[in-house]
Amino acid sequence: MLSSPVRLIPRTIRLVHSPICNFSRSFMDLKVLLSSLNDFASLSLAESWDNVGLLVEPSPPHTVHTLFLTNDLTEEVMEEALQKKVDLILSYHPPIFRPLKHITWKTWKERLVIRALENRVGIYSPHTAYDAAPQGVNSWLAKGLGVCTSRPIHPSKAPNYPTAGTHRVEFSVNCTEDLDKVISAVKEIADVSVTSFSTRTDDEEQTRITLNCSQEALMQVVAFLSQSRQFYQKTEILSLEKPLLLHTGMGRLCTLDESVSLATMIERIKRHLKLSHVRLALGVGRTLESPVKVVALCAGSGSTVLQGMEADLYLTGEMSHHDVLDAASQGINVILCEHSNTERGFLSDLRDMLGARLENKINIILSETDRDPLHVV
């Protein structure tokens, strides 16, 4: 039998990307990824009371193919993450904040830890480090105001002092014999660095001594110098401040290029946050047509950050009843959007920024079930 000729018909096959199935071979080692995340926004920027960084770690080595972004890690969000087979969850709010005394199935936060470890999923939280970062949550929130200049309300300080120690002690010594005695004595004190240089005061040669020391060493230095009235009466003690970091810190004080009515600002904020409603407290003597030029804002809960700031408007997620009353009594309008509504939209920008920084080596996806727990009904 003669075989009949076979026609080959070319077909175009479309590959549809699914966030659940990951066919990419790209991945990053967890430790390398954490280093990149810290380069994006150093955890040293976080508030001292916060609990940031890697909160749950699967046994090493652990590779990450898919990074999952969420504002809050609830059990519903965890179920979504497991269905999408993610390897690391970046939860803006830390699901573990207060210490856990046991890991059982009793409470929802304990169950999160159990399910993460059982499925080899890491959990990382940046929280206030992202609040303070120049490209972080508060800067994103300010984008919804219109064209403006902004500065942090509470600037961050560099994590380390530019020189060793927290204090500087300066005094002068007249004769060489005293100089040798003093330098020999202070060098025996731990955490003290010594420098000296010659000076002339009232036609008298002197040696100026500078000591950089820690808080603990300072007390020992003072105790030594107080033994000599000649040294102690001419001693200067300076407190060394860590330098401020530009464009970095909690909250933002924003000055619009052109003032707008409060009604216009409300619509801008609702559009930026994709909200149909916000809560408004009118300042005393203000109306919806009152001009807004200066806005003080803080994502999340802004009472302590915004307190005492001079502005036409406070913008935040939530404030206490009495803090709202205080602001309104000063003629300051207050807009409250619910806590996480002032944060969640940042995650879309974060996905793009991390994708570029990581050169798209891993998949980065947003939670579809994460939402603020409060609704207007």
Side-chain angles (χ1 to χ4, degrees):
M1 176 184 292
L2 295 176
S3 60
S4 59
V6 177
R7 279 185 74 191
L8 298 178
I9 302 175
R11 292 175 179 261
T12 301
I13 300 176
R14 289 185 62 198
L15 295 177
V16 180
H17 172 72
S18 169
I20 299 178
C21 299
N22 173 26
F23 297 104
S24 170
R25 295 186 178 182
S26 297
F27 63 87
M28 294 183 70
D29 179 77
L30 176 61
K31 298 297 185 184
V32 175
L33 176 55
L34 293 178
S35 178
S36 296
L37 291 176
N38 194 60
D39 289 342
F40 173 76
S42 173
L43 295 177
S44 64
L45 299 177
E47 296 291 281
S48 59
W49 48 261
D50 208 355
N51 188 35
V52 296
L54 186 63
L55 306 184
V56 175
E57 179 183 11
S59 59
H62 186 63
T63 56
V64 177
H65 296 265
T66 301
L67 174 63
F68 181 81
L69 308 182
T70 184
N71 201 79
D72 292 295
L73 182 54
T74 62
E75 289 191 278
E76 182 183 11
V77 173
M78 173 60 83
E79 183 62 35
E80 177 193 2
L82 297 181
Q83 288 181 3
K84 294 180 177 178
K85 302 187 185 304
V86 308
D87 307 292
L88 179 65
I89 297 172
L90 187 155
S91 177
Y92 167 75
H93 285 139
I96 304 173
F97 190 75
R98 297 181 180 88
L100 297 175
K101 293 185 178 181
H102 36 64
I103 305 296
T104 69
W105 204 249
K106 186 175 181 180
T107 68
W108 70 276
K109 290 194 173 184
E110 294 174 59
R111 291 194 292 271
L112 289 178
V113 175
I114 293 171
R115 298 201 71 191
L117 290 174
E118 285 181 340
N119 292 275
R120 293 191 55 76
V121 175
I123 301 176
Y124 175 91
S125 176
H127 201 202
T128 51
Y130 278 12
D131 290 345
Q135 72 284 28
V137 181
N138 283 304
S139 294
W140 167 82
L141 185 57
K143 289 180 181 180
L145 304 179
V147 181
C148 64
T149 57
S150 68
R151 65 172 178 82
I153 294 175
H154 298 294
S156 297
K157 295 181 179 181
N160 300 307
Y161 290 92
T163 56
T166 60
H167 292 79
R168 178 169 293 164
V169 180
E170 296 184 351
F171 58 94
S172 297
V173 178
N174 292 333
C175 66
T176 303
E177 183 178 342
D178 288 340
L179 176 63
D180 293 340
K181 176 183 176 182
V182 168
I183 291 181
S184 175
V186 296
K187 281 187 174 180
E188 293 181 1
I189 302 175
D191 298 325
V192 174
S193 62
V194 184
T195 57
S196 61
F197 56 93
S198 298
T199 62
R200 177 177 288 275
T201 304
D202 298 329
D203 294 327
E204 183 181 10
E205 288 286 345
Q206 293 183 331
T207 300
R208 189 71 173 168
I209 296 179
T210 299
L211 310 177
N212 285 349
C213 57
S214 64
Q215 178 72 48
E216 295 76 13
L218 175 64
M219 302 310 297
Q220 298 180 59
V221 170
V222 169
F224 168 72
L225 293 177
S226 63
Q227 297 173 15
S228 170
R229 186 175 181 182
Q230 171 194 354
F231 298 150
Y232 198 57
Q233 286 186 337
K234 298 180 180 180
T235 296
E236 295 179 338
I237 300 177
L238 307 175
S239 178
L240 300 180
E241 288 287 336
K242 298 176 181 179
L244 300 180
L245 300 176
L246 290 176
H247 315 300
T248 307
M250 295 300 161
R252 293 294 183 270
L253 186 66
C254 307
T255 303
L256 300 174
D257 285 8
E258 296 183 6
S259 61
V260 297
S261 70
L262 176 58
T264 298
M265 180 55 67
I266 291 171
E267 292 306 313
R268 287 183 180 180
I269 292 168
K270 289 162 66 175
R271 183 166 56 249
H272 184 57
L273 301 183
K274 297 180 174 60
L275 297 175
S276 56
H277 299 85
V278 295
R279 291 190 287 165
L280 170 67
L282 281 173
V284 172
R286 302 294 186 259
T287 71
L288 289 175
E289 296 308 314
S290 296
V292 173
K293 178 73 172 178
V294 179
V295 180
L297 63 83
C298 178
S301 182
S303 289
T304 56
V305 174
L306 301 178
Q307 190 171 32
M309 296 304 301
E310 294 184 4
D312 302 308
L313 171 66
Y314 285 176
L315 170 62
T316 186
E318 59 181 332
M319 289 175 65
S320 75
H321 174 76
H322 294 286
D323 287 335
V324 173
L325 290 179
D326 286 342
S329 72
Q330 301 170 60
I332 301 172
N333 305 298
V334 178
I335 293 179
L336 304 180
C337 308
E338 305 308 343
H339 190 112
S340 67
N341 288 337
T342 57
E343 304 161 336
R344 185 170 289 100
F346 166 72
L347 296 179
S348 294
D349 282 13
L350 177 64
R351 175 186 56 193
D352 297 338
M353 288 186 287
L354 290 182
R357 175 173 287 271
L358 302 176
E359 299 176 338
N360 297 313
K361 292 178 181 177
I362 60 174
N363 296 324
I364 304 177
I365 59 177
L366 297 179
S367 171
E368 298 176 11
T369 57
D370 174 42
R371 60 179 61 86
D372 195 273
L374 294 174
H375 302 274
V376 178
V377 295

